[in-house]
Amino acid sequence: MAKFEATSFQARNLAIAHNIWLNMLDDTCTIVLGLSGPLIPAGMRRLIAWLIRNRYVDVVITDGLTAFHDVHESLGRQHYQAHR
């Protein structure tokens, strides 16, 4: 991740965000994860669960869409990607 610090645009922003997150993990602050949009159908469900399970976030704030998609998959239903 350190190599991204010397690049431009979003790669550098990703490195900055990574460094902030590492500092937050070493501190006694509360880490809040805000979720919005179709993250579950996009395949992020396992990553979000991993962050919570491993205590990398303390609080999750989400919208109704993300909650609906998570419940939908929890009931054994799936999301599909259409072909163009």
Side-chain angles (χ1 to χ4, degrees), residues 21-38:
W21 186 53
L22 291 177
N23 289 336
M24 290 169 62
L25 292 175
D26 290 337
D27 200 357
T28 59
C29 64
T30 301
I31 300 175
V32 178
L33 175 63
L35 302 175
S36 179

Side-chain angles (χ1 to χ4, degrees), residues 13-54:
N13 289 337
L14 180 61
I16 291 168
H18 181 253
N19 288 333
I20 292 169
W21 186 53
L22 291 177
N23 289 336
M24 290 169 62
L25 292 175
D26 290 337
D27 200 357
T28 59
C29 64
T30 301
I31 300 175
V32 178
L33 175 63
L35 302 175
S36 179
L39 296 172
I40 305 303
M44 304 301 278
R45 185 175 196 229
R46 291 177 61 197
L47 174 63
I48 295 165
W50 183 86
L51 289 170
I52 296 167
R53 191 177 307 113
N54 291 288

Side-chain angles (χ1 to χ4, degrees), residues 54-82:
N54 291 288
R55 300 181 181 263
Y56 285 108
V57 295
D58 300 306
V59 178
V60 177
I61 300 174
T62 187
D63 61 359
L65 180 63
T66 304
F68 169 79
H69 286 148
D70 190 44
V71 169
H72 182 79
E73 289 196 5
S74 295
L75 294 173
R77 299 187 175 111
Q78 297 181 4
H79 293 92
Y80 298 95
Q81 182 177 11

